[in-house]
Amino acid sequence: MNSRDALRLLACGVWLAIAPTSSAGAEGTFDIPAGAHFNPQKLERVGDYLRDQVAQGKIPGAIVLIEQHGKPVYHEFFGVRDVATKQPMTDDTIFRLFSMSKPITSVVAMQLIEEGKLKLDDPVAKYIPSFANVKVGVENKAADGTKTLDLVAPKRPVTILDLMTQTSGITYGFYGDSMVRLAYRNAKIYDGDFDNAEFAERIAKLPLAEQPGTLWDYGHSTDILGRIMEVVSGKSLLGIEKEKLLDPLHMSETTFYVTDPDKQKLIAKPMPGDSDFRVGFTGYADVPMKWESGGGGMVSSLADLARFSQMLLNGGELDGKRYLSPKTFENMTSDHIGATSGVGRDFFYFPGDGFGFGLGFGVRTDPGNAKPPPAGSLGEIKWDGASGCLFVVDHKQDMFFVLLEQTPSERQKIQPMVKKLIYEAMEN
């Protein structure tokens, strides 16, 4: 399997993009006029599709929740959480989020910024001094085809903003074939039982894949952000996330590891032959480690993710409590890597066709290149992860939906199809 084929099995992003177009306007399932409602009969196609995926043995099961105007309009369970136990999917089923952890970590980081604990333009080295010595890897090719990796000084320091927009130059080593990615693989950064502090030191020893702020490059940026959150709060990453967001928002099942034996039985599992998540390391939700990966290590439940999504749909507020100021929320959900930002996009641009990127979310900015355009609305925010979980928040339609499944190999087919069927069920 070449790197481009492998990419389609990787950890984040559903719809690939080349370059966004500038035209806009309702077309098919894209940017439907505001005020649309759901046709219950058409929504049944979502269930028909997922039941067929279960029947074919593609996935063990799934859960879909759609809420509009603060009320559920679709809440269905399909298949089982584990084919070995045959226990059904239920509201209390626990799912590994992988990169859908990133928006949660990013929200708490913005809360700390609101408190003045850190700033978007702060250099990472202010909190992790070893990053003051980081270099950029520049790949050169000689006339005989020999490749060398030169290390040069960054033109400017890596900042908190770079971490939040995935433009830091910190990458992942489990996809692509560049020399920097190879250096990541050879460094064995996942060996042993390390904590966030040790992991940040390992990353700081590796070269950046490009100059900061020049390319959207998906990697361990949010993990480094998580370590900075520990430094400024004096707490573990889980500790500060529980204090600022998880406990106040009543996200009681959202954590990094499931240690309660009774709750371990609730963990959803992929099909036995589909258990390789291809993220560079093997970890388990019920085997605690010191590492609390803010970029990919969380688990959660439907109820928790529904509250998180509704808070975002409300612009940073839920049940009378404000978690993000309106200004902060607007900043988080605005595109920071558009045409005038100087940030490039390459084949590995995971936000996808028609999407820019905010501070932890993909942000829909235009129709994209596909004809017809992919389903959705201008301004929607979304993210997903290697396990197949996906959430979409659509302010235009006052709607969000959550898809929970555990399937690294089928997710990039199922996620866009479920989204398409959901938007096809909308009528004005």
Side-chain angles (χ1 to χ4, degrees), residues 323-347:
Y323 296 87
L324 297 167
S325 72
K327 182 179 179 180
T328 295
F329 182 80
E330 181 181 5
N331 195 21
M332 283 199 80
T333 57
S334 297
D335 182 23
H336 285 258
I337 62 165
T340 63
S341 67
V343 176
R345 305 180 186 187
D346 63 7
F347 181 81

mmCIF file with all atom_site columns, all heavy atoms in Angstrom, residues 323-347:
data_model
loop_
_atom_site.group_PDB
_atom_site.id
_atom_site.type_symbol
_atom_site.label_atom_id
_atom_site.label_alt_id
_atom_site.label_comp_id
_atom_site.label_asym_id
_atom_site.label_entity_id
_atom_site.label_seq_id
_atom_site.pdbx_PDB_ins_code
_atom_site.Cartn_x
_atom_site.Cartn_y
_atom_site.Cartn_z
_atom_site.occupancy
_atom_site.B_iso_or_equiv
_atom_site.pdbx_formal_charge
_atom_site.auth_seq_id
_atom_site.auth_comp_id
_atom_site.auth_asym_id
_atom_site.auth_atom_id
_atom_site.pdbx_PDB_model_num
ATOM 1   N N   . TYR A 1 323 ? -19.256 28.985 28.563 1.00 0.00 ? 323 TYR A N   1
ATOM 2   C CA  . TYR A 1 323 ? -17.945 28.334 28.563 1.00 0.00 ? 323 TYR A CA  1
ATOM 3   C C   . TYR A 1 323 ? -16.930 29.087 27.721 1.00 0.00 ? 323 TYR A C   1
ATOM 4   O O   . TYR A 1 323 ? -15.722 28.999 27.979 1.00 0.00 ? 323 TYR A O   1
ATOM 5   C CB  . TYR A 1 323 ? -18.088 26.891 28.063 1.00 0.00 ? 323 TYR A CB  1
ATOM 6   C CG  . TYR A 1 323 ? -18.929 26.049 28.978 1.00 0.00 ? 323 TYR A CG  1
ATOM 7   C CD1 . TYR A 1 323 ? -20.312 26.005 28.844 1.00 0.00 ? 323 TYR A CD1 1
ATOM 8   C CD2 . TYR A 1 323 ? -18.345 25.338 30.021 1.00 0.00 ? 323 TYR A CD2 1
ATOM 9   C CE1 . TYR A 1 323 ? -21.091 25.252 29.709 1.00 0.00 ? 323 TYR A CE1 1
ATOM 10  C CE2 . TYR A 1 323 ? -19.115 24.586 30.895 1.00 0.00 ? 323 TYR A CE2 1
ATOM 11  C CZ  . TYR A 1 323 ? -20.487 24.548 30.734 1.00 0.00 ? 323 TYR A CZ  1
ATOM 12  O OH  . TYR A 1 323 ? -21.255 23.814 31.593 1.00 0.00 ? 323 TYR A OH  1
ATOM 13  N N   . LEU A 1 324 ? -17.401 29.787 26.697 1.00 0.00 ? 324 LEU A N   1
ATOM 14  C CA  . LEU A 1 324 ? -16.550 30.596 25.839 1.00 0.00 ? 324 LEU A CA  1
ATOM 15  C C   . LEU A 1 324 ? -17.258 31.916 25.583 1.00 0.00 ? 324 LEU A C   1
ATOM 16  O O   . LEU A 1 324 ? -18.470 31.931 25.329 1.00 0.00 ? 324 LEU A O   1
ATOM 17  C CB  . LEU A 1 324 ? -16.290 29.897 24.498 1.00 0.00 ? 324 LEU A CB  1
ATOM 18  C CG  . LEU A 1 324 ? -15.539 28.563 24.525 1.00 0.00 ? 324 LEU A CG  1
ATOM 19  C CD1 . LEU A 1 324 ? -15.652 27.871 23.168 1.00 0.00 ? 324 LEU A CD1 1
ATOM 20  C CD2 . LEU A 1 324 ? -14.072 28.765 24.900 1.00 0.00 ? 324 LEU A CD2 1
ATOM 21  N N   . SER A 1 325 ? -16.539 33.009 25.634 1.00 0.00 ? 325 SER A N   1
ATOM 22  C CA  . SER A 1 325 ? -17.152 34.298 25.325 1.00 0.00 ? 325 SER A CA  1
ATOM 23  C C   . SER A 1 325 ? -17.536 34.329 23.848 1.00 0.00 ? 325 SER A C   1
ATOM 24  O O   . SER A 1 325 ? -16.956 33.597 23.032 1.00 0.00 ? 325 SER A O   1
ATOM 25  C CB  . SER A 1 325 ? -16.187 35.434 25.625 1.00 0.00 ? 325 SER A CB  1
ATOM 26  O OG  . SER A 1 325 ? -15.131 35.459 24.660 1.00 0.00 ? 325 SER A OG  1
ATOM 27  N N   . PRO A 1 326 ? -18.498 35.167 23.469 1.00 0.00 ? 326 PRO A N   1
ATOM 28  C CA  . PRO A 1 326 ? -18.860 35.259 22.047 1.00 0.00 ? 326 PRO A CA  1
ATOM 29  C C   . PRO A 1 326 ? -17.665 35.586 21.158 1.00 0.00 ? 326 PRO A C   1
ATOM 30  O O   . PRO A 1 326 ? -17.536 35.026 20.063 1.00 0.00 ? 326 PRO A O   1
ATOM 31  C CB  . PRO A 1 326 ? -19.898 36.384 22.040 1.00 0.00 ? 326 PRO A CB  1
ATOM 32  C CG  . PRO A 1 326 ? -20.533 36.323 23.389 1.00 0.00 ? 326 PRO A CG  1
ATOM 33  C CD  . PRO A 1 326 ? -19.407 35.967 24.324 1.00 0.00 ? 326 PRO A CD  1
ATOM 34  N N   . LYS A 1 327 ? -16.778 36.454 21.620 1.00 0.00 ? 327 LYS A N   1
ATOM 35  C CA  . LYS A 1 327 ? -15.604 36.816 20.823 1.00 0.00 ? 327 LYS A CA  1
ATOM 36  C C   . LYS A 1 327 ? -14.672 35.625 20.647 1.00 0.00 ? 327 LYS A C   1
ATOM 37  O O   . LYS A 1 327 ? -14.165 35.366 19.547 1.00 0.00 ? 327 LYS A O   1
ATOM 38  C CB  . LYS A 1 327 ? -14.866 37.976 21.494 1.00 0.00 ? 327 LYS A CB  1
ATOM 39  C CG  . LYS A 1 327 ? -13.654 38.465 20.710 1.00 0.00 ? 327 LYS A CG  1
ATOM 40  C CD  . LYS A 1 327 ? -12.985 39.631 21.415 1.00 0.00 ? 327 LYS A CD  1
ATOM 41  C CE  . LYS A 1 327 ? -11.748 40.104 20.649 1.00 0.00 ? 327 LYS A CE  1
ATOM 42  N NZ  . LYS A 1 327 ? -11.087 41.246 21.348 1.00 0.00 ? 327 LYS A NZ  1
ATOM 43  N N   . THR A 1 328 ? -14.448 34.891 21.728 1.00 0.00 ? 328 THR A N   1
ATOM 44  C CA  . THR A 1 328 ? -13.593 33.705 21.652 1.00 0.00 ? 328 THR A CA  1
ATOM 45  C C   . THR A 1 328 ? -14.209 32.659 20.742 1.00 0.00 ? 328 THR A C   1
ATOM 46  O O   . THR A 1 328 ? -13.515 32.033 19.926 1.00 0.00 ? 328 THR A O   1
ATOM 47  C CB  . THR A 1 328 ? -13.368 33.118 23.056 1.00 0.00 ? 328 THR A CB  1
ATOM 48  O OG1 . THR A 1 328 ? -12.642 34.062 23.838 1.00 0.00 ? 328 THR A OG1 1
ATOM 49  C CG2 . THR A 1 328 ? -12.590 31.815 22.991 1.00 0.00 ? 328 THR A CG2 1
ATOM 50  N N   . PHE A 1 329 ? -15.513 32.448 20.878 1.00 0.00 ? 329 PHE A N   1
ATOM 51  C CA  . PHE A 1 329 ? -16.176 31.456 20.039 1.00 0.00 ? 329 PHE A CA  1
ATOM 52  C C   . PHE A 1 329 ? -16.058 31.836 18.568 1.00 0.00 ? 329 PHE A C   1
ATOM 53  O O   . PHE A 1 329 ? -15.779 30.984 17.716 1.00 0.00 ? 329 PHE A O   1
ATOM 54  C CB  . PHE A 1 329 ? -17.646 31.322 20.430 1.00 0.00 ? 329 PHE A CB  1
ATOM 55  C CG  . PHE A 1 329 ? -18.376 30.280 19.641 1.00 0.00 ? 329 PHE A CG  1
ATOM 56  C CD1 . PHE A 1 329 ? -18.252 28.937 19.973 1.00 0.00 ? 329 PHE A CD1 1
ATOM 57  C CD2 . PHE A 1 329 ? -19.144 30.623 18.533 1.00 0.00 ? 329 PHE A CD2 1
ATOM 58  C CE1 . PHE A 1 329 ? -18.895 27.957 19.231 1.00 0.00 ? 329 PHE A CE1 1
ATOM 59  C CE2 . PHE A 1 329 ? -19.791 29.657 17.793 1.00 0.00 ? 329 PHE A CE2 1
ATOM 60  C CZ  . PHE A 1 329 ? -19.665 28.319 18.145 1.00 0.00 ? 329 PHE A CZ  1
ATOM 61  N N   . GLU A 1 330 ? -16.257 33.093 18.261 1.00 0.00 ? 330 GLU A N   1
ATOM 62  C CA  . GLU A 1 330 ? -16.136 33.539 16.868 1.00 0.00 ? 330 GLU A CA  1
ATOM 63  C C   . GLU A 1 330 ? -14.724 33.302 16.346 1.00 0.00 ? 330 GLU A C   1
ATOM 64  O O   . GLU A 1 330 ? -14.532 32.862 15.201 1.00 0.00 ? 330 GLU A O   1
ATOM 65  C CB  . GLU A 1 330 ? -16.488 35.025 16.752 1.00 0.00 ? 330 GLU A CB  1
ATOM 66  C CG  . GLU A 1 330 ? -16.409 35.553 15.325 1.00 0.00 ? 330 GLU A CG  1
ATOM 67  C CD  . GLU A 1 330 ? -16.724 37.025 15.231 1.00 0.00 ? 330 GLU A CD  1
ATOM 68  O OE1 . GLU A 1 330 ? -16.919 37.678 16.271 1.00 0.00 ? 330 GLU A OE1 1
ATOM 69  O OE2 . GLU A 1 330 ? -16.763 37.537 14.092 1.00 0.00 ? 330 GLU A OE2 1
ATOM 70  N N   . ASN A 1 331 ? -13.727 33.558 17.183 1.00 0.00 ? 331 ASN A N   1
ATOM 71  C CA  . ASN A 1 331 ? -12.340 33.345 16.789 1.00 0.00 ? 331 ASN A CA  1
ATOM 72  C C   . ASN A 1 331 ? -12.059 31.870 16.529 1.00 0.00 ? 331 ASN A C   1
ATOM 73  O O   . ASN A 1 331 ? -11.406 31.498 15.549 1.00 0.00 ? 331 ASN A O   1
ATOM 74  C CB  . ASN A 1 331 ? -11.410 33.871 17.883 1.00 0.00 ? 331 ASN A CB  1
ATOM 75  C CG  . ASN A 1 331 ? -9.977  34.017 17.414 1.00 0.00 ? 331 ASN A CG  1
ATOM 76  O OD1 . ASN A 1 331 ? -9.694  34.102 16.222 1.00 0.00 ? 331 ASN A OD1 1
ATOM 77  N ND2 . ASN A 1 331 ? -9.054  34.054 18.362 1.00 0.00 ? 331 ASN A ND2 1
ATOM 78  N N   . MET A 1 332 ? -12.581 31.008 17.397 1.00 0.00 ? 332 MET A N   1
ATOM 79  C CA  . MET A 1 332 ? -12.362 29.570 17.245 1.00 0.00 ? 332 MET A CA  1
ATOM 80  C C   . MET A 1 332 ? -12.976 29.024 15.971 1.00 0.00 ? 332 MET A C   1
ATOM 81  O O   . MET A 1 332 ? -12.440 28.096 15.356 1.00 0.00 ? 332 MET A O   1
ATOM 82  C CB  . MET A 1 332 ? -12.971 28.802 18.427 1.00 0.00 ? 332 MET A CB  1
ATOM 83  C CG  . MET A 1 332 ? -12.193 28.824 19.708 1.00 0.00 ? 332 MET A CG  1
ATOM 84  S SD  . MET A 1 332 ? -12.691 27.468 20.811 1.00 0.00 ? 332 MET A SD  1
ATOM 85  C CE  . MET A 1 332 ? -11.779 26.105 20.101 1.00 0.00 ? 332 MET A CE  1
ATOM 86  N N   . THR A 1 333 ? -14.119 29.550 15.584 1.00 0.00 ? 333 THR A N   1
ATOM 87  C CA  . THR A 1 333 ? -14.889 28.969 14.487 1.00 0.00 ? 333 THR A CA  1
ATOM 88  C C   . THR A 1 333 ? -14.740 29.757 13.187 1.00 0.00 ? 333 THR A C   1
ATOM 89  O O   . THR A 1 333 ? -15.510 29.554 12.251 1.00 0.00 ? 333 THR A O   1
ATOM 90  C CB  . THR A 1 333 ? -16.371 28.867 14.879 1.00 0.00 ? 333 THR A CB  1
ATOM 91  O OG1 . THR A 1 333 ? -16.866 30.164 15.239 1.00 0.00 ? 333 THR A OG1 1
ATOM 92  C CG2 . THR A 1 333 ? -16.551 27.921 16.055 1.00 0.00 ? 333 THR A CG2 1
ATOM 93  N N   . SER A 1 334 ? -13.749 30.651 13.128 1.00 0.00 ? 334 SER A N   1
ATOM 94  C CA  . SER A 1 334 ? -13.430 31.363 11.897 1.00 0.00 ? 334 SER A CA  1
ATOM 95  C C   . SER A 1 334 ? -12.242 30.697 11.226 1.00 0.00 ? 334 SER A C   1
ATOM 96  O O   . SER A 1 334 ? -11.371 30.121 11.892 1.00 0.00 ? 334 SER A O   1
ATOM 97  C CB  . SER A 1 334 ? -13.084 32.832 12.203 1.00 0.00 ? 334 SER A CB  1
ATOM 98  O OG  . SER A 1 334 ? -14.183 33.503 12.770 1.00 0.00 ? 334 SER A OG  1
ATOM 99  N N   . ASP A 1 335 ? -12.187 30.773 9.913  1.00 0.00 ? 335 ASP A N   1
ATOM 100 C CA  . ASP A 1 335 ? -11.091 30.172 9.160  1.00 0.00 ? 335 ASP A CA  1
ATOM 101 C C   . ASP A 1 335 ? -9.809  30.974 9.369  1.00 0.00 ? 335 ASP A C   1
ATOM 102 O O   . ASP A 1 335 ? -9.765  32.168 9.103  1.00 0.00 ? 335 ASP A O   1
ATOM 103 C CB  . ASP A 1 335 ? -11.456 30.123 7.670  1.00 0.00 ? 335 ASP A CB  1
ATOM 104 C CG  . ASP A 1 335 ? -10.371 29.473 6.839  1.00 0.00 ? 335 ASP A CG  1
ATOM 105 O OD1 . ASP A 1 335 ? -9.571  28.694 7.401  1.00 0.00 ? 335 ASP A OD1 1
ATOM 106 O OD2 . ASP A 1 335 ? -10.330 29.734 5.617  1.00 0.00 ? 335 ASP A OD2 1
ATOM 107 N N   . HIS A 1 336 ? -8.763  30.310 9.839  1.00 0.00 ? 336 HIS A N   1
ATOM 108 C CA  . HIS A 1 336 ? -7.474  30.970 10.074 1.00 0.00 ? 336 HIS A CA  1
ATOM 109 C C   . HIS A 1 336 ? -6.436  30.621 9.014  1.00 0.00 ? 336 HIS A C   1
ATOM 110 O O   . HIS A 1 336 ? -5.292  31.078 9.113  1.00 0.00 ? 336 HIS A O   1
ATOM 111 C CB  . HIS A 1 336 ? -6.936  30.577 11.456 1.00 0.00 ? 336 HIS A CB  1
ATOM 112 C CG  . HIS A 1 336 ? -7.640  31.249 12.583 1.00 0.00 ? 336 HIS A CG  1
ATOM 113 N ND1 . HIS A 1 336 ? -7.130  32.333 13.269 1.00 0.00 ? 336 HIS A ND1 1
ATOM 114 C CD2 . HIS A 1 336 ? -8.847  31.007 13.158 1.00 0.00 ? 336 HIS A CD2 1
ATOM 115 C CE1 . HIS A 1 336 ? -7.968  32.720 14.205 1.00 0.00 ? 336 HIS A CE1 1
ATOM 116 N NE2 . HIS A 1 336 ? -9.025  31.925 14.168 1.00 0.00 ? 336 HIS A NE2 1
ATOM 117 N N   . ILE A 1 337 ? -6.798  29.828 8.025  1.00 0.00 ? 337 ILE A N   1
ATOM 118 C CA  . ILE A 1 337 ? -5.794  29.390 7.046  1.00 0.00 ? 337 ILE A CA  1
ATOM 119 C C   . ILE A 1 337 ? -6.255  29.660 5.622  1.00 0.00 ? 337 ILE A C   1
ATOM 120 O O   . ILE A 1 337 ? -5.894  28.935 4.697  1.00 0.00 ? 337 ILE A O   1
ATOM 121 C CB  . ILE A 1 337 ? -5.455  27.894 7.238  1.00 0.00 ? 337 ILE A CB  1
ATOM 122 C CG1 . ILE A 1 337 ? -6.693  27.032 7.009  1.00 0.00 ? 337 ILE A CG1 1
ATOM 123 C CG2 . ILE A 1 337 ? -4.874  27.646 8.628  1.00 0.00 ? 337 ILE A CG2 1
ATOM 124 C CD1 . ILE A 1 337 ? -6.356  25.570 6.834  1.00 0.00 ? 337 ILE A CD1 1
ATOM 125 N N   . GLY A 1 338 ? -7.048  30.706 5.434  1.00 0.00 ? 338 GLY A N   1
ATOM 126 C CA  . GLY A 1 338 ? -7.564  31.055 4.123  1.00 0.00 ? 338 GLY A CA  1
ATOM 127 C C   . GLY A 1 338 ? -6.498  31.598 3.186  1.00 0.00 ? 338 GLY A C   1
ATOM 128 O O   . GLY A 1 338 ? -5.298  31.624 3.502  1.00 0.00 ? 338 GLY A O   1
ATOM 129 N N   . ALA A 1 339 ? -6.946  32.082 2.028  1.00 0.00 ? 339 ALA A N   1
ATOM 130 C CA  . ALA A 1 339 ? -6.043  32.470 0.936  1.00 0.00 ? 339 ALA A CA  1
ATOM 131 C C   . ALA A 1 339 ? -5.050  33.550 1.336  1.00 0.00 ? 339 ALA A C   1
ATOM 132 O O   . ALA A 1 339 ? -3.933  33.599 0.822  1.00 0.00 ? 339 ALA A O   1
ATOM 133 C CB  . ALA A 1 339 ? -6.870  32.931 -0.257 1.00 0.00 ? 339 ALA A CB  1
ATOM 134 N N   . THR A 1 340 ? -5.429  34.441 2.251  1.00 0.00 ? 340 THR A N   1
ATOM 135 C CA  . THR A 1 340 ? -4.535  35.535 2.632  1.00 0.00 ? 340 THR A CA  1
ATOM 136 C C   . THR A 1 340 ? -3.662  35.217 3.839  1.00 0.00 ? 340 THR A C   1
ATOM 137 O O   . THR A 1 340 ? -2.898  36.061 4.292  1.00 0.00 ? 340 THR A O   1
ATOM 138 C CB  . THR A 1 340 ? -5.363  36.799 2.939  1.00 0.00 ? 340 THR A CB  1
ATOM 139 O OG1 . THR A 1 340 ? -6.227  36.550 4.062  1.00 0.00 ? 340 THR A OG1 1
ATOM 140 C CG2 . THR A 1 340 ? -6.207  37.205 1.737  1.00 0.00 ? 340 THR A CG2 1
ATOM 141 N N   . SER A 1 341 ? -3.754  33.994 4.355  1.00 0.00 ? 341 SER A N   1
ATOM 142 C CA  . SER A 1 341 ? -3.033  33.639 5.585  1.00 0.00 ? 341 SER A CA  1
ATOM 143 C C   . SER A 1 341 ? -1.588  33.247 5.337  1.00 0.00 ? 341 SER A C   1
ATOM 144 O O   . SER A 1 341 ? -0.781  33.215 6.270  1.00 0.00 ? 341 SER A O   1
ATOM 145 C CB  . SER A 1 341 ? -3.744  32.477 6.297  1.00 0.00 ? 341 SER A CB  1
ATOM 146 O OG  . SER A 1 341 ? -3.638  31.293 5.516  1.00 0.00 ? 341 SER A OG  1
ATOM 147 N N   . GLY A 1 342 ? -1.262  32.875 4.108  1.00 0.00 ? 342 GLY A N   1
ATOM 148 C CA  . GLY A 1 342 ? 0.069   32.370 3.816  1.00 0.00 ? 342 GLY A CA  1
ATOM 149 C C   . GLY A 1 342 ? 0.245   30.896 4.115  1.00 0.00 ? 342 GLY A C   1
ATOM 150 O O   . GLY A 1 342 ? 1.332   30.343 3.950  1.00 0.00 ? 342 GLY A O   1
ATOM 151 N N   . VAL A 1 343 ? -0.825  30.240 4.547  1.00 0.00 ? 343 VAL A N   1
ATOM 152 C CA  . VAL A 1 343 ? -0.768  28.805 4.863  1.00 0.00 ? 343 VAL A CA  1
ATOM 153 C C   . VAL A 1 343 ? -1.106  27.991 3.612  1.00 0.00 ? 343 VAL A C   1
ATOM 154 O O   . VAL A 1 343 ? -2.154  28.196 2.999  1.00 0.00 ? 343 VAL A O   1
ATOM 155 C CB  . VAL A 1 343 ? -1.748  28.451 5.996  1.00 0.00 ? 343 VAL A CB  1
ATOM 156 C CG1 . VAL A 1 343 ? -1.751  26.946 6.257  1.00 0.00 ? 343 VAL A CG1 1
ATOM 157 C CG2 . VAL A 1 343 ? -1.388  29.215 7.265  1.00 0.00 ? 343 VAL A CG2 1
ATOM 158 N N   . GLY A 1 344 ? -0.226  27.074 3.251  1.00 0.00 ? 344 GLY A N   1
ATOM 159 C CA  . GLY A 1 344 ? -0.454  26.227 2.095  1.00 0.00 ? 344 GLY A CA  1
ATOM 160 C C   . GLY A 1 344 ? -1.231  24.974 2.442  1.00 0.00 ? 344 GLY A C   1
ATOM 161 O O   . GLY A 1 344 ? -1.439  24.642 3.622  1.00 0.00 ? 344 GLY A O   1
ATOM 162 N N   . ARG A 1 345 ? -1.678  24.291 1.401  1.00 0.00 ? 345 ARG A N   1
ATOM 163 C CA  . ARG A 1 345 ? -2.389  23.021 1.545  1.00 0.00 ? 345 ARG A CA  1
ATOM 164 C C   . ARG A 1 345 ? -1.785  22.032 0.560  1.00 0.00 ? 345 ARG A C   1
ATOM 165 O O   . ARG A 1 345 ? -1.467  22.387 -0.572 1.00 0.00 ? 345 ARG A O   1
ATOM 166 C CB  . ARG A 1 345 ? -3.881  23.188 1.258  1.00 0.00 ? 345 ARG A CB  1
ATOM 167 C CG  . ARG A 1 345 ? -4.560  24.254 2.091  1.00 0.00 ? 345 ARG A CG  1
ATOM 168 C CD  . ARG A 1 345 ? -6.036  24.375 1.762  1.00 0.00 ? 345 ARG A CD  1
ATOM 169 N NE  . ARG A 1 345 ? -6.647  25.496 2.476  1.00 0.00 ? 345 ARG A NE  1
ATOM 170 C CZ  . ARG A 1 345 ? -7.948  25.757 2.489  1.00 0.00 ? 345 ARG A CZ  1
ATOM 171 N NH1 . ARG A 1 345 ? -8.785  24.990 1.796  1.00 0.00 ? 345 ARG A NH1 1
ATOM 172 N NH2 . ARG A 1 345 ? -8.419  26.778 3.170  1.00 0.00 ? 345 ARG A NH2 1
ATOM 173 N N   . ASP A 1 346 ? -1.629  20.794 0.994  1.00 0.00 ? 346 ASP A N   1
ATOM 174 C CA  . ASP A 1 346 ? -1.101  19.776 0.095  1.00 0.00 ? 346 ASP A CA  1
ATOM 175 C C   . ASP A 1 346 ? -2.044  18.579 0.056  1.00 0.00 ? 346 ASP A C   1
ATOM 176 O O   . ASP A 1 346 ? -3.202  18.671 0.481  1.00 0.00 ? 346 ASP A O   1
ATOM 177 C CB  . ASP A 1 346 ? 0.321   19.367 0.491  1.00 0.00 ? 346 ASP A CB  1
ATOM 178 C CG  . ASP A 1 346 ? 0.398   18.722 1.876  1.00 0.00 ? 346 ASP A CG  1
ATOM 179 O OD1 . ASP A 1 346 ? -0.665  18.455 2.488  1.00 0.00 ? 346 ASP A OD1 1
ATOM 180 O OD2 . ASP A 1 346 ? 1.528   18.486 2.354  1.00 0.00 ? 346 ASP A OD2 1
ATOM 181 N N   . PHE A 1 347 ? -1.558  17.455 -0.443 1.00 0.00 ? 347 PHE A N   1
ATOM 182 C CA  . PHE A 1 347 ? -2.418  16.268 -0.562 1.00 0.00 ? 347 PHE A CA  1
ATOM 183 C C   . PHE A 1 347 ? -2.962  15.835 0.792  1.00 0.00 ? 347 PHE A C   1
ATOM 184 O O   . PHE A 1 347 ? -4.062  15.311 0.886  1.00 0.00 ? 347 PHE A O   1
ATOM 185 C CB  . PHE A 1 347 ? -1.628  15.121 -1.192 1.00 0.00 ? 347 PHE A CB  1
ATOM 186 C CG  . PHE A 1 347 ? -2.434  13.869 -1.365 1.00 0.00 ? 347 PHE A CG  1
ATOM 187 C CD1 . PHE A 1 347 ? -3.300  13.714 -2.431 1.00 0.00 ? 347 PHE A CD1 1
ATOM 188 C CD2 . PHE A 1 347 ? -2.346  12.836 -0.444 1.00 0.00 ? 347 PHE A CD2 1
ATOM 189 C CE1 . PHE A 1 347 ? -4.061  12.563 -2.586 1.00 0.00 ? 347 PHE A CE1 1
ATOM 190 C CE2 . PHE A 1 347 ? -3.098  11.683 -0.586 1.00 0.00 ? 347 PHE A CE2 1
ATOM 191 C CZ  . PHE A 1 347 ? -3.958  11.550 -1.664 1.00 0.00 ? 347 PHE A CZ  1
#
